[in-house]
Amino acid sequence: MPQTDYQANSAEVPPAATLPPLRQPASRTDRVRDALRQAILEGALPPGKALVERELAEMYGVSKTPVREALKQLQSTGLVEPNAYQGVSVRRPDNRLVQELYTARCAAEPEAVRLAAVRLGATPHAAARQALQEATALIGSGETRGLGVANRRFHRALYTACDNGFLCGFLDQLQDLTAFVAGLGWRLRATWEEEAAEHAAILTAMEQGDGPLAERLTREHIEKAKQTISRALGDAPGAGR
């Protein structure tokens, strides 16, 4: 079978250095989406809260079009869901969501962390350690609104080091919903310090290049979080509605 010559037409394509960089400012849709995302993750917009396009457009000083597009993007992440009034509301997590979400994480993340530890070997992991320090500082100050995002940065710093685009892409899709569910669980039952200790143990195994230990600790951490959040949601008033 003849081989395709991928270089045959390379002369027709200008070198990357001659192409102008993309410096387009963030769109109104992006700004609205990011503001709503932050409000949802920090609990300012609670589960079940209806998100009305007209009200949001007035609040942010934009037309309804960027609000509508922002809500569509948030729906694709799982943070909002359709409601009975042909609009959308902040998602109301239940135990089924927790089980499915954390089972999906458990199927992929421990293996990604193991591959990352083997790939990097025994070496400091600056990005993960910085994220862990930021999370620890938030816990110490009592300012825990941004803790979910800091924890997601920690987990992402670990699993992206595996350098497997398919694994990372799959886990990235779960990031916002994981931060949302974890944040809701903490508001019902605070487990910040326990999770911080578990993160520290995972990072130690990672920096020692111990792939099997890092994998086991990550799996145990995710499974424990699943059980804790499920119990917290089960104890919450109106759970399962």
Side-chain angles (χ1 to χ4, degrees):
M1 173 183 266
Q3 293 185 343
T4 302
D5 185 0
Y6 292 102
Q7 302 297 323
N9 297 320
S10 61
E12 300 175 9
V13 181
T18 67
L19 296 176
L22 294 177
R23 294 179 178 171
Q24 191 174 13
S27 68
R28 288 186 178 90
T29 296
D30 292 340
R31 294 198 294 271
V32 172
R33 180 202 62 216
D34 291 347
L36 289 173
R37 173 181 175 272
Q38 181 177 351
I40 292 170
L41 294 183
E42 292 183 352
L45 292 172
K49 172 68 175 177
L51 302 175
V52 182
E53 290 180 10
R54 176 180 51 78
E55 295 176 356
L56 293 173
E58 292 176 357
M59 181 186 303
Y60 290 121
V62 298
S63 69
K64 290 196 293 185
T65 299
V67 172
R68 185 178 303 118
E69 292 303 312
L71 292 176
K72 286 181 181 178
Q73 293 181 20
L74 290 172
Q75 189 171 341
S76 71
T77 69
L79 290 180
V80 304
E81 59 187 356
N83 59 31
Y85 306 100
Q86 297 184 329
V88 297
S89 300
V90 178
R91 187 161 193 162
R92 191 191 297 273
D94 56 19
N95 279 321
R96 178 176 179 178
L97 170 64
V98 174
Q99 294 296 320
E100 291 183 353
L101 175 62
Y102 279 79
T103 296
R105 283 186 63 200
C106 215
E109 191 169 338
E111 174 64 7
V113 172
R114 183 191 71 80
L115 291 171
V118 171
R119 174 175 172 267
L120 294 179
T123 184
H125 198 313
R129 186 155 294 280
Q130 180 178 355
L132 180 59
Q133 290 172 347
E134 290 174 2
T136 302
L138 288 171
I139 294 171
S141 68
E143 183 58 54
T144 56
R145 286 185 302 173
L147 185 57
V149 175
N151 279 348
R152 299 276 57 79
R153 282 201 303 271
F154 171 79
H155 279 274
R156 191 173 191 277
L158 295 184
Y159 70 69
T160 54
C162 75
D163 200 30
N164 183 309
F166 293 105
L167 276 174
C168 295
F170 172 72
L171 290 167
D172 279 350
Q173 292 179 30
L174 308 180
Q175 284 283 79
D176 280 355
L177 197 52
T178 300
F180 174 57
V181 170
L184 178 60
W186 290 330
R187 288 191 287 277
L188 296 172
R189 182 178 297 170
T191 56
W192 308 312
E193 294 182 355
E194 296 173 35
E195 294 186 33
E198 292 165 11
H199 285 171
I202 294 169
L203 181 56
T204 297
M206 183 82 170
E207 292 184 328
Q208 291 174 347
D210 192 334
L213 179 58
E215 177 186 19
R216 178 174 64 80
L217 292 176
T218 300
R219 188 178 307 281
E220 291 174 354
H221 171 67
I222 296 172
E223 288 286 359
K224 183 177 178 181
K226 177 173 69 174
Q227 295 169 10
T228 299
I229 295 171
S230 290
R231 286 196 299 268
L233 288 177
D235 293 341
R241 286 189 306 180

